[in-house]
Amino acid sequence: MIEKGKISYLEVTLIMYATVVTTAILYIPYVTAQHAKRDLWLSPIWGSLSGFLIVMIIVKLSRLFPGKTLIEYGELILGRTIGKIMAFIFLFFLLNDTAIAFREYGEFIESAFLHKTPIIFVTGSIALSCAIAVHGGIETIGRCAMIFLPIVLALYILIYVFLIPDLNVKNIFPIMQDGVMPSIKGSLAPHAWLSQFSLLSFLIPFLRKQEKVMKWGMLSVIASVLTMVFINLGNLFLFGGIISNIHFPVFEAARYISIGSFFEHIESIVIAVWVLGGFVQLSAFFYMLVIGTSQWLTLPSYKPFVLPIGFLIILFSFWSIPSFEDMIRGMGTTVPFYFLTVQLLIPILLLCIALIRRKWANEPLKKR
């Protein structure tokens, strides 16, 4: 195994939580509100179905092929040639997904804070920081998640606690005025984000213990969904129907905070703390891409590839996304189908073929 580090259940749960939630709380309220309107808080609940399903599939595959990632057991299931092609498709998707995550980070920082700073400097600086963490290994990323994420979560809870006097619960009514379909259409983006639990495959082999991985994976999905519901409700109570016109409602909510005349304009603090969560998320994506590529190429070490792949991520973050408007539009249209096709259908296909082959053969699957 090219990675010698080990992490705990809690660290895996927090890494996956950061991978899904960090950018979801920024972009999902706006994207979901385009379809769901006042029912946007229901959409993550429907989207949770993808999260629960993919965790069950990935955990089942990890038990059939202990100590292997999706890149490795793909060859055992499909054979060397087809397995390599499948793995390349998944890795190319992961490269694109990682580039999108870096671009989302850069667009938010530039739009909210560094208005005159070229976005390439924003994404380049975080990529260099993430490269240091990735070079340190999975244990480094796990420790960062343990330290940073409780701070990030506490801050976002406090934002809406401070805003309680300004929240209007009546904004939630009427519930499902136009039926359930608007909230289901709005769930496309949550489905896409929660399908990223397929990346759990890259973390399970590095767990110190394997027995309770299903339980902790499900807890991570539940925590992610509850966070999305909480954020969507908080934004709905504060902004009402105009939420569909606000790109970053969480950031705008922070601007509303005013306690007396001494505690206000805390949006800079919000950005600073959010960057900690963004660092964990981007480092996790970066690490999974590097590890997967090294396994696909059967290299003895992943560390020489950290900087070249980091450079490739930055290039793709501009090549694959022409503009901020295109990125936002894609989140509610084509991107969810793209994410679900790769992150849900490929694991389902692998599991079905593995179970069929196990049923037909009495001996374990061997690499061709």
Side-chain angles (χ1 to χ4, degrees):
M1 188 177 291
I2 59 177
E3 169 63 82
K4 304 300 182 183
K6 294 292 180 180
I7 51 178
S8 66
Y9 289 127
L10 182 57
E11 287 171 326
V12 166
T13 302
L14 290 175
I15 289 172
M16 289 309 306
Y17 176 84
T19 299
V20 173
V21 168
T22 303
T23 49
I25 60 177
L26 289 179
Y27 291 94
I28 277 188
Y30 172 79
V31 175
T32 300
Q34 304 307 305
H35 298 286
K37 307 300 180 183
R38 294 179 186 273
D39 294 330
L40 77 163
W41 61 278
L42 288 170
S43 295
I45 298 175
W46 313 139
S48 67
L49 297 176
S50 292
F52 290 127
L53 177 60
I54 196 65
V55 167
M56 288 190 290
I57 293 169
I58 292 299
V59 172
K60 179 64 175 177
L61 283 167
S62 72
R63 289 173 177 169
L64 290 174
F65 305 95
K68 305 290 185 182
T69 69
L70 184 146
I71 303 301
E72 294 173 311
Y73 56 64
E75 290 187 45
L76 300 178
I77 296 170
L78 301 174
R80 184 175 181 82
T81 302
I82 299 177
K84 285 286 188 184
I85 295 171
M86 182 281 301
F88 177 80
I89 292 171
F90 195 91
L91 286 171
F92 185 81
F93 163 81
L94 184 53
L95 172 60
N96 194 21
D97 191 10
T98 305
I100 291 172
F102 272 82
R103 184 61 178 268
E104 288 170 345
Y105 171 91
E107 291 287 357
F108 171 65
I109 295 297
E110 185 188 41
S111 300
F113 195 56
L114 302 176
H115 306 292
K116 296 183 179 181
T117 303
I119 191 172
I120 190 168
F121 287 103
V122 178
T123 54
S125 60
I126 191 66
L128 183 59
S129 301
C130 291
I132 296 171
V134 171
H135 194 274
I138 189 63
E139 290 185 357
T140 302
I141 299 172
R143 298 296 186 277
C144 289
M146 289 282 287
I147 296 169
F148 296 154
L149 287 185
I151 301 172
V152 177
L153 185 58
L155 174 73
Y156 282 102
I157 292 174
L158 285 175
I159 288 175
Y160 295 97
V161 169
F162 290 142
L163 287 171
I164 286 177
D166 300 306
L167 302 182
N168 184 3
V169 180
K170 293 181 180 179
N171 286 337
I172 199 175
F173 300 110
I175 297 175
M176 289 194 284
Q177 181 181 16
D178 300 316
V180 71
M181 283 309 298
S183 62
I184 292 177
K185 289 180 180 178
S187 70
L188 277 176
H191 272 295
W193 256 269
L194 289 163
S195 70
Q196 290 174 327
F197 273 93
S198 64
L199 302 179
L200 188 63
S201 162
F202 292 92
L203 300 179
I204 291 177
F206 308 125
L207 275 168
R208 295 189 183 94
K209 299 178 181 179
Q210 304 283 331
E211 297 80 11
K212 298 180 180 179
V213 63
M214 180 73 79
K215 170 188 171 182
W216 286 90
M218 292 298 182
L219 284 175
S220 187
V221 175
I222 292 170
S224 301
V225 172
L226 289 178
T227 302
M228 292 184 201
V229 172
F230 172 78
I231 293 294
N232 285 354
L233 281 173
N235 291 326
L236 179 61
F237 293 160
L238 182 63
F239 298 112
I242 68 168
I243 189 173
S244 58
N245 299 319
I246 304 173
H247 282 132
F248 303 116
V250 174
F251 178 68
E252 295 299 330
R255 288 178 166 173
Y256 272 76
I257 295 175
S258 179
I259 301 176
S261 58
F262 61 92
F263 192 73
E264 54 188 11
H265 302 298
I266 67 165
E267 56 269 19
S268 297
I269 299 174
V270 171
I271 293 175
V273 174
W274 179 84
V275 166
L276 298 177
F279 171 76
V280 176
Q281 179 201 39
L282 299 178
S283 296
F285 273 121
F286 196 161
Y287 175 82
M288 294 170 191
L289 179 59
V290 170
I291 280 288
T293 303
S294 301
Q295 290 172 338
W296 187 70
L297 295 172
T298 61
L299 299 175
S301 174
Y302 66 89
K303 294 185 178 181
F305 271 77
V306 173
L307 287 179
I309 290 180
F311 180 71
L312 195 60
I313 289 169
I314 298 302
L315 289 181
F316 263 76
S317 70
F318 292 95
W319 286 346
S320 59
I321 306 170
S323 67
F324 176 74
E325 290 74 19
D326 290 326
M327 182 179 74
I328 291 291
R329 192 182 306 112
M331 288 178 186
T333 53
T334 57
V335 169
F337 296 102
Y338 172 47
F339 274 44
L340 290 170
T341 299
V342 177
Q343 297 189 124
L344 193 57
L345 290 187
I346 285 180
I348 289 175
L349 178 65
L350 290 176
L351 180 60
C352 290
I353 295 175
L355 292 177
I356 292 170
R357 291 190 62 180
R358 270 184 169 261
K359 185 177 180 180
W360 286 354
N362 294 322
E363 60 183 19
L365 293 173
K366 295 182 179 180
K367 191 173 182 180
R368 290 180 184 177

